[in-house]
Amino acid sequence: MAHGLDLVGERWALLIVRELLLGPKRFTHLRTGLPGASPDMLSQRLRQLQESGVVRHRQLPPPAGVPVYELTEWGMGLEPVVTGLGRWAGGSSSLPLDAPIGVDSLILSLKALFDPGQSGDVEIRAAVRLGGDEFRVMVTGGEIAIARGTLEHPDVTLDTDTATLASLLRGVRSPEEAVVGGDLRVDGGMDTAGRFLALFRRAVPPTSPEATRAE
């Protein structure tokens, strides 16, 4: 455990891993997902992650031909660590619900929020569009798979923005309210959209000891 923290315990390290779980990214795209990290800090952490074998730097083949960072096969093994930490932190009574959230972070939170025990025999293939980003979310057999890219013939398509999707996941707004407000477009039926979103309903954070005493 101590050695693991030596490898990825520095500030921003696991957040870089999170940003790369859905595929390679250029340095500029990493900065977009981690606006609080300075360029120097991000470069330093990337070097450390490369030295430890978690991340590698390579050139994409033509026609792209651009340098990107990506997780190694060993680095991809951190996915359950990132997901588990997110799931655990989601139960915090001090969770800052008004904090900004990036596209990849929000999509990956679906894995942290997903409860296999509550999914039953639900099978849904959903396309989620957030601005210029599109993701495939497949739920089947009590398991969830998420990937970047277009999904052909989805059961439901949600076209929205990060703030609206976050409010839907937290139950602050209903899909119907978001559609009426013009913040959500649904293709495939509202019932299917509702069943899909219900798979990720966030649990109510525990009451803090201070609040309990106050009561």
Side-chain angles (χ1 to χ4, degrees):
M1 183 176 178
H3 181 60
L5 288 174
D6 285 340
L7 296 175
V8 295
E10 295 285 350
R11 181 170 172 81
W12 300 110
L14 277 181
L15 296 180
I16 291 173
V17 171
R18 180 200 69 194
E19 289 297 308
L20 296 175
L21 282 174
L22 292 175
K25 283 189 175 182
R26 300 179 64 178
F27 185 84
T28 53
H29 294 158
L30 281 171
R31 286 198 62 195
T32 300
L34 300 168
S38 69
D40 289 344
M41 175 67 77
L42 186 54
S43 296
Q44 182 181 357
R45 291 295 175 265
L46 283 167
R47 283 195 301 271
Q48 292 171 341
L49 290 171
Q50 288 178 80
E51 291 169 359
S52 63
V54 174
V55 169
R56 60 172 161 250
H57 190 218
R58 71 179 178 93
Q59 196 90 1
L60 289 179
V66 296
V68 295
Y69 293 91
E70 66 182 2
L71 293 175
T72 62
E73 183 178 355
W74 184 57
M76 283 296 296
L78 282 166
E79 180 178 358
V81 176
V82 173
T83 302
L85 184 59
R87 183 181 297 113
W88 174 76
S92 168
S93 60
S94 59
L95 182 69
L97 296 178
D98 58 346
I101 186 168
V103 172
D104 281 26
S105 179
L106 182 59
I107 288 296
L108 286 170
S109 74
L110 297 181
K111 283 197 172 184
L113 294 169
F114 180 69
D115 184 352
Q118 297 297 321
S119 65
D121 58 356
V122 173
E123 294 193 6
I124 295 181
R125 300 169 68 255
V128 180
R129 296 173 184 158
L130 298 172
D133 295 284
E134 188 166 356
F135 301 90
R136 307 187 296 269
V137 184
M138 286 79 69
V139 175
T140 181
E143 297 183 353
I144 182 173
I146 299 175
R148 191 186 305 276
T150 303
L151 178 63
E152 294 187 3
H153 311 300
D155 299 317
V156 66
T157 299
L158 305 181
D159 193 342
T160 185
D161 55 76
T162 54
T164 300
L165 181 56
S167 69
L168 294 171
L169 295 175
R170 292 169 183 153
V172 176
R173 300 175 73 184
S174 69
E176 292 78 10
E177 290 171 337
V179 168
V180 172
D183 298 318
L184 171 67
R185 177 182 172 185
V186 174
D187 293 326
M190 293 300 295
D191 287 345
T192 306
R195 285 193 296 120
F196 173 71
L197 290 169
L199 297 172
F200 312 104
R201 284 286 181 260
R202 182 176 173 277
V204 177
T207 303
S208 66
E210 291 76 11
T212 302
R213 285 194 293 269
E215 291 174 358

